[in-house]
Amino acid sequence: MIDVAAPDTPETDVRCAPSIRSQIRHVVMLVNPLSGSVGPRAAGEAEAILADYDLKAEVMTLGGGDFDKTIAEAFDAKPDVIFVLAGDGTARSVASKAKPDGPMIAPLPGGTMNMLPKALYGTADWKLALKRALEEGEPQAVSGGEVQGEYFYCAAILGSPALWAPAREAMRTGKIKLAWQYGRRALKRAFSGRLRFTLDGGEKRRTEALVLISPMISKAMEDPIGLEAAAMDPSDTTQAFRLAATALFSDWRQDPAVSTRPAKRIEVRARSKIPAVIDGEPLLLKPEAVIRFVPKAFKALAPKPPSAEDSV
């Protein structure tokens, strides 16, 4: 009798994939390696993380002049959720394309300020935010504002303080000479023109600067009933610098030069085009602008309730 040895049985990999809270089967992740703190290895790192989950995942790199084409391809793939690891402006653009009836959007912290990602996920670490979205995330409506076809989900600044945004961005990218030129232009135009505005058809008022803050970011609002409108009226340069120094702290609303209230429709007028910054992106508005509150601007994939780490 001849003994026949049993064939070797390969060891079975019993590792379990991390659980996904929502019914997500297909995701697309947009990565801009040149943005903020993203870096050239981010796409590969994202693929490695997504490989641990039981889902179909595609990672697309944003680069060159094909931003719009790549974003369109992401939507054409019809995923359950689109992750965006890029600058604040790119995340805003993708969210505005999705609207409430589109795929869920998960803006990961890959920009400079990252106010929306921090509010949703409570971290500036994009890898941790990605895992929280997949494992703890649920669909939830994010409110915001709209002005002249441009959407914002954190805050809009209207008036002369917005003129400093190009200088800040030039300084951040190391363009010192350009930053100086922008700074000089901002100084020349500062306090040269006041805004006239009304909130929900109320009385007409004047202000040096108007800041509109979304309910998710605002510490003063518990429910999405409108944008928090903060009128800032510094009487001189010294007071303006004091406001700028305290604007990111919780006591800035106590400043006598600031008045706030919620509003759903804000009408603004000026003698010339209005400098503005919406979610960190500078632009010029027409001399007459209407800003409206959008209670359901897009669907986010995020834990409930949001972390709101960067509330102001």
Side-chain angles (χ1 to χ4, degrees):
M1 183 174 180
I2 302 174
D3 290 331
V4 179
D8 292 336
T9 303
E11 293 185 4
T12 302
D13 186 356
V14 296
R15 182 183 63 178
C16 295
S19 61
I20 302 175
R21 185 166 182 175
S22 297
Q23 297 299 312
I24 301 173
R25 294 292 175 262
H26 181 197
V27 307
V28 169
M29 185 163 173
L30 295 168
V31 178
N32 181 2
L34 300 180
S35 176
S37 57
V38 176
R41 296 184 297 178
E45 293 170 337
E47 289 176 343
I49 293 173
L50 293 170
D52 286 337
Y53 295 86
D54 182 20
L55 49 75
K56 176 184 176 182
E58 301 173 68
V59 177
M60 301 180 177
T61 300
L62 295 167
D66 294 332
F67 265 60
D68 292 341
K69 180 181 177 182
T70 305
I71 292 172
E73 290 173 352
F75 279 92
D76 289 343
K78 299 188 183 304
D80 299 311
V81 57
I82 297 178
F83 289 91
V84 185
L85 181 57
D88 300 326
T90 302
R92 182 175 65 84
S93 177
V94 174
S96 66
K97 284 181 173 62
K99 295 193 169 63
D101 55 351
M104 290 181 289
I105 303 299
L108 305 178
T112 304
M113 298 182 68
N114 298 314
M115 290 185 71
L116 183 58
K118 288 179 182 178
L120 290 171
Y121 307 112
T123 179
D125 182 338
W126 70 264
K127 298 175 186 176
L128 179 57
L130 173 59
K131 293 176 182 178
R132 283 182 179 172
L134 288 170
E135 298 174 17
E136 305 172 33
E138 297 179 28
Q140 58 175 296
V142 174
S143 57
E146 181 271 333
V147 54
Q148 294 178 6
E150 298 285 349
Y151 288 80
F152 61 93
Y153 311 104
C154 297
I157 304 171
L158 282 66
S160 58
L163 293 167
W164 288 97
R168 184 200 66 183
E169 184 67 16
M171 182 66 74
R172 186 183 70 83
T173 56
K175 300 174 182 177
I176 308 301
K177 184 177 180 180
L178 185 60
W180 173 250
Q181 292 173 346
Y182 281 136
R184 288 186 62 186
R185 187 175 68 180
L187 279 172
K188 288 179 180 179
R189 291 191 59 183
F191 316 118
S192 63
R194 293 172 65 80
L195 303 176
R196 295 169 177 81
F197 72 98
T198 61
L199 305 178
D200 292 331
E203 64 175 327
K204 294 181 180 180
R205 298 174 54 190
R206 292 186 179 187
T207 187
E208 182 64 42
L210 188 64
V211 181
L212 305 170
I213 306 170
S214 74
M216 181 174 291
I217 298 296
S218 171
K219 285 183 177 179
M221 300 178 66
E222 295 183 0
D223 299 312
I225 59 174
L227 299 169
E228 182 187 9
M232 299 185 175
D233 291 294
S235 59
D236 53 33
T237 305
T238 301
Q239 194 176 41
F241 276 112
R242 187 192 72 241
L243 264 178
T246 61
L248 295 181
F249 295 93
S250 60
D251 61 350
W252 66 271
R253 290 176 179 83
Q254 306 303 318
D255 194 293
V258 176
S259 61
T260 73
R261 56 155 286 188
K264 294 182 179 180
R265 181 182 173 89
I266 302 95
E267 297 182 24
V268 184
R269 297 181 62 186
R271 294 180 178 177
S272 59
K273 289 186 177 181
I274 302 169
V277 174
I278 62 172
D279 284 357
E281 297 292 312
L283 73 160
L284 282 175
L285 302 178
K286 296 177 181 178
E288 295 186 12
V290 176
I291 303 94
R292 63 183 182 93
F293 173 59
V294 184
K296 294 182 179 180
F298 74 94
K299 288 183 299 184
L301 178 67
K304 286 187 175 181
S307 300
E309 180 182 291
D310 253 23
S311 297
V312 294

